[in-house]
Amino acid sequence: HKFKDWKALQGSLLVDEVSVRNAIVGRQSSRVVDDAVASEPCEGFPVDFCGPPRPAGSGRNPHPAALAHCKPAASDEVDELESGVDTDAAKAERERRKEEKAAAKAAKKAEKEAKKAAEFEAQRLANLPVSHLSLDDPDCKAFGDYETLQSQGTTGRVFTDVKDLVPGEEKVWVRGRVQNVRAKGSSCFLVLREGAFETVQAVVFKDKSSEAASAASAKLIKWLGSLPAESVVELEGVPVAAEVKSCTQQSLELSVARAYCVSRAATLPFQIEDAARPEAEVEASQETDRPFPRLGQELRLDNRWIDLRVPANNAIMRLQSAVCQLYREALYKEGFVEIHSPKIISGESEGGAGVFRLDYFGAPACLAQSPQLYKQMAISADMERVFEVGAVFRAENSNTRRHLCEFTGLDLEMAIGEHYDEVLGVSHRMFKHMFQGLEERWPKELSAVRQQYASEPVKFTEEPCIVHWEDGIKMLREAGVTQEELGDFDDLSGAQELLLGKLVKDKFDADFFIMDRYPAAIRPFYTMPCADDGRYSNSYDMFIRGQEICSGAQRVHDPRLLRELLESKGVDAEPLEAYISAFEHGVRPHGGAGIGLERVVFLYLGLDNVRKASMFPRDPNRCSP
């Protein structure tokens, strides 16, 4: 209760001894305070609270609520106040209380600072990196970030592949990425992904066997919950039987004892889950209250290393490798030798294709548009049958879904006995081996791709399905393509190739076919003309679902005829003199083919863009990453 002035104090019913003392001492007053019973109610309190007015000394008890509010002054304090002068004992008592209060405050502050320091030190120790070499140390922490692994040594640990985990084993070590984690209260559920496909659920539950165990498990749960998605971690635990439908390991989960982070991931530009959805699912969600995000192609390609973690995209790269493996297997079986030709050359290797020009120590040079010239030289060197897997460069400003400025060429060249059909036979057997091998030996990867990008296996015939140019033009004419839209010796447009593919599928039930006898005017200078009609050539293209994957021909091995063709097509012969000379010393008749690896993968899997089949695509607008 606060008093504004001395008169208010004097007229109060009950007096707070502290307020009275402060008021009296502060004003140096010597007024006498009676027995704390006044004739008027307390200022600020109603009459029915403090009781009716009564004469001093009447002995009437105050209202009970007033007693709860006010504390009667002790008699010695009243005497002291009446005298107006503090005694030495009172001063000493006040000083003692003041010192006690200050000491208590200091002790409380010191305790708080000590607690804060202990927590800071515990946090510092918890954040110290763990050495993988100290895992056998009894004092080693049960969780934490590893120090940077710099090949400091080995521990002899053996990591178990997620796919090989079985319930009931003793403790095992596994390593993978945090696909997602959910830590709440007394439990933590973490999905560990190994590679792009294998997943297992890891669990931690609060250990209530003791106070120490409970605290330790709670810290582990909290730490696991702080791990960013896509971080690389190591877990030690026991596989126990459980039903987990959301992981590839559906009959067990890993009960975690220890966990360590090998590499923490920064904030992701997009979520792997979002990048793995089929386009149809994303499209359907746009009409709902919670539409899935659309991820643009440029965003994906700018962060291609993350995009390739998506199961389908990762599988595409593995299938690309499989195509190369099957290609090599088939040609080794046919007696071929693998070669590696130069990619910096002095002149153009393909007529009509753009080249990337460069300065070669003061001399003009360019990047090879194909290994064509060197494959033929290898035949002149009596290597008879050769193939190559290598980079091909095309400086064509084509911004389409099926063109790249750099791609991987699967090239082959072989001596022939009498007819270029021999090359077609080898090529058909090679593609048949490739298509069958993919379906039989890589079903997991094909399944992963087809879950996101729907497609069917390519249909092919036992023997080569060959459509001659003249017959193909006739089929297109019957389908409604006019002379104005396509002349008899004009090259096919993309739409016309697709239409032809549909017509061939309807007629021969084949997605894969060969078209030969292309007009000589639309083929490179090294293509052998047809003997029966010089307007056509001994050349061919191979198609999957109406889109070209391969181009080839019988080559011109006669140097005189080669010079004539160079002149007729306006190609400078000087940079090609070494190439022409290779045929002046005798060479077998030969032919071959050039196949685009990315184009094969793109079309076999029914993808919508060839860039999905290239690890780091190069097109007119992209040269990084």
Side-chain angles (χ1 to χ4, degrees):
H1 194 73
K2 295 181 180 179
F3 296 92
K4 297 181 179 178
D5 51 41
W6 175 245
K7 290 182 179 180
L9 173 66
Q10 191 178 30
S12 299
L13 173 65
L14 295 176
V15 181
D16 186 319
E17 58 178 321
V18 177
S19 300
V20 172
R21 182 176 69 245
N22 290 342
I24 294 175
V25 174
R27 292 172 171 78
Q28 298 294 317
S29 174
S30 60
R31 291 178 180 273
V32 178
V33 180
D34 63 7
D35 60 356
V37 179
S39 61
E40 296 179 4
C42 295
E43 179 182 357
F45 291 90
V47 172
D48 61 348
F49 180 81
C50 296
R54 65 192 187 283
S58 64
R60 184 179 175 183
N61 291 329
H63 193 283
L67 286 174
H69 175 72
C70 304
K71 178 181 178 182
S75 60
D76 56 345
E77 285 290 307
V78 172
D79 294 340
E80 181 184 333
L81 293 173
E82 288 176 344
S83 67
V85 180
D86 288 343
T87 64
D88 292 340
K91 288 182 178 180
E93 179 64 17
R94 285 200 305 275
E95 290 298 325
R96 182 185 66 78
R97 291 180 180 179
K98 185 176 181 181
E99 289 175 359
E100 285 181 354
K101 185 176 181 181
K105 185 176 180 181
K108 187 175 182 179
K109 182 179 179 181
E111 181 183 0
K112 185 177 180 180
E113 289 179 350
K115 183 179 179 181
K116 186 176 181 181
E119 290 176 351
F120 178 82
E121 180 64 14
Q123 187 66 33
R124 187 187 70 82
L125 294 174
N127 291 335
L128 284 177
V130 179
S131 170
H132 70 284
L133 300 177
S134 67
L135 294 176
D136 292 334
D137 188 334
D139 296 328
C140 181
K141 296 186 297 182
F143 62 89
D145 289 45
Y146 275 153
E147 64 183 15
T148 302
L149 198 152
Q150 296 178 283
S151 301
Q152 296 93 329
T154 59
T155 63
R157 289 180 300 160
V158 177
F159 290 96
T160 302
D161 291 340
V162 167
K163 63 181 176 61
D164 295 331
L165 292 173
V166 294
E169 289 184 351
E170 297 181 352
K171 285 184 179 179
V172 296
W173 283 98
V174 293
R175 177 185 282 182
R177 291 189 182 276
V178 177
Q179 180 159 301
N180 58 65
V181 61
R182 178 168 51 88
K184 187 176 181 181
S186 59
S187 63
C188 176
F189 297 87
L190 182 150
V191 174
L192 184 80
R193 188 182 75 246
E194 183 182 62
F197 311 116
E198 305 298 334
T199 55
V200 63
Q201 179 172 276
V203 298
V204 180
F205 297 104
K206 195 170 183 179
D207 187 347
K208 299 180 180 179
S209 61
S210 67
E211 186 175 343
S214 177
S217 59
K219 290 179 180 179
L220 175 56
I221 290 171
K222 182 178 179 181
W223 182 82
L224 287 170
S226 71
L227 290 173
E230 294 302 297
S231 295
V232 179
V233 297
E234 289 179 4
L235 304 178
E236 184 189 36
V238 178
V240 295
E243 184 178 349
V244 184
K245 295 182 179 180
S246 59
C247 296
T248 58
Q249 274 286 14
Q250 298 187 340
S251 61
L252 62 85
E253 62 187 12
L254 188 69
S255 179
V256 177
R258 294 194 286 176
Y260 303 97
C261 185
V262 180
S263 176
R264 279 185 177 261
T267 302
L268 298 173
F270 53 82
Q271 298 300 314
I272 303 298
E273 182 181 8
D274 292 333
R277 290 191 178 93
E279 183 60 30
E281 184 178 336
V282 175
E283 186 64 32
S285 74
Q286 302 307 307
E287 304 301 324
T288 68
D289 295 336
R290 300 182 65 182
F292 295 130
R294 297 180 186 272
L295 301 183
Q297 178 175 269
E298 295 307 306
L299 174 64
R300 288 173 177 262
L301 294 181
D302 286 342
N303 301 276
R304 186 63 165 154
W305 56 92
I306 299 176
D307 191 41
L308 290 176
R309 296 177 191 174
V310 175
N313 296 343
N314 192 281
I316 290 170
M317 293 300 103
R318 295 175 185 272
L319 291 168
Q320 186 193 85
S321 172
V323 167
C324 290
Q325 179 179 333
L326 294 164
Y327 172 74
R328 285 187 167 99
E329 287 177 2
L331 295 186
Y332 280 137
K333 189 176 180 180
E334 297 277 358
F336 281 70
V337 174
E338 184 170 5
I339 61 171
H340 303 91
S341 63
K343 303 308 170 194
I344 300 177
I345 62 176
S346 59
E348 299 179 15
S349 53
E350 294 283 341
V355 297
F356 289 104
R357 302 188 184 280
L358 54 89
D359 179 86
Y360 191 71
F361 302 103
C366 60
L367 297 178
Q369 299 153 297
S370 81
Q372 182 58 48
L373 310 184
Y374 298 94
K375 293 189 301 177
Q376 291 185 250
M377 290 182 186
I379 302 302
S380 183
D382 287 343
M383 299 190 74
E384 298 182 356
R385 292 187 169 195
V386 298
F387 75 90
E388 180 171 357
V389 178
V392 174
F393 303 91
R394 301 287 173 89
E396 299 174 350
N397 193 14
S398 298
N399 294 281
T400 73
R401 67 187 189 92
R402 61 193 188 103
H403 284 94
L404 293 171
C405 293
E406 179 184 353
F407 61 90
T408 303
L410 307 179
D411 283 86
L412 64 93
E413 202 75 19
M414 57 179 280
I416 61 175
E418 297 178 335
H419 200 283
Y420 67 82
D421 280 352
E422 298 166 34
V423 183
L424 300 184
V426 168
S427 298
H428 180 78
R429 290 193 293 274
M430 180 271 293
F431 275 114
K432 188 166 72 169
H433 176 76
M434 185 184 294
F435 301 155
Q436 289 176 332
L438 289 173
E439 297 295 333
E440 294 171 1
R441 294 158 59 181
W442 281 270
K444 180 177 70 175
E445 289 77 7
L446 286 172
S447 175
V449 174
R450 287 167 177 163
Q451 284 179 20
Q452 186 167 358
Y453 308 109
S455 71
E456 295 292 333
V458 168
K459 287 189 174 184
F460 54 89
T461 54
E462 279 301 310
E463 296 301 321
C465 178
I466 302 174
V467 177
H468 301 310
W469 177 268
E470 301 94 317
D471 297 332
I473 294 296
K474 183 179 178 181
M475 293 171 67
L476 290 171
R477 293 275 185 263
E478 292 173 351
V481 178
T482 65
Q483 184 73 33
E484 290 73 22
E485 295 172 323
L486 175 66
D488 291 343
F489 298 94
D490 294 339
D491 201 0
L492 301 180
S493 68
Q496 290 162 354
E497 288 179 344
L498 287 169
L499 175 57
L500 181 61
K502 183 179 183 302
L503 297 173
V504 171
K505 178 68 178 292
D506 293 341
K507 185 174 182 178
F508 301 104
D509 194 29
D511 293 313
F512 174 70
F513 68 96
I514 302 168
M515 189 172 186
D516 70 346
R517 290 178 61 88
Y518 274 76
I522 62 174
R523 304 302 280 197
F525 64 85
Y526 48 75
T527 305
M528 183 67 76
C530 283
D532 61 341
D533 188 338
R535 297 175 300 173
Y536 299 98
S537 64
N538 295 346
S539 60
Y540 37 83
D541 282 356
M542 302 178 193
F543 297 84
I544 291 179
R545 300 188 176 103
Q547 298 191 69
E548 177 201 333
I549 59 168
C550 172
S551 183
Q554 179 186 353
R555 319 302 185 183
V556 176
H557 60 278
D558 181 285
R560 178 191 58 79
L561 179 57
L562 185 56
R563 290 184 184 277
E564 291 177 2
L565 292 173
L566 283 169
E567 184 177 355
S568 68
K569 291 181 177 293
V571 179
D572 185 7
E574 184 178 354
L576 299 171
E577 283 301 326
Y579 166 70
I580 299 171
S581 298
F583 307 128
E584 291 178 343
H585 302 94
V587 61
R588 297 185 183 188
H590 56 279
I595 305 159
L597 171 62
E598 290 84 355
R599 188 79 69 86
V600 171
V601 176
F602 151 58
L603 294 174
Y604 188 87
L605 297 176
L607 305 177
D608 61 353
N609 197 301
V610 71
R611 289 160 183 78
K612 287 185 170 69
S614 175
M615 190 168 188
F616 293 98
R618 293 291 179 263
D619 59 35
N621 299 309
R622 179 169 292 277
C623 196
S624 176

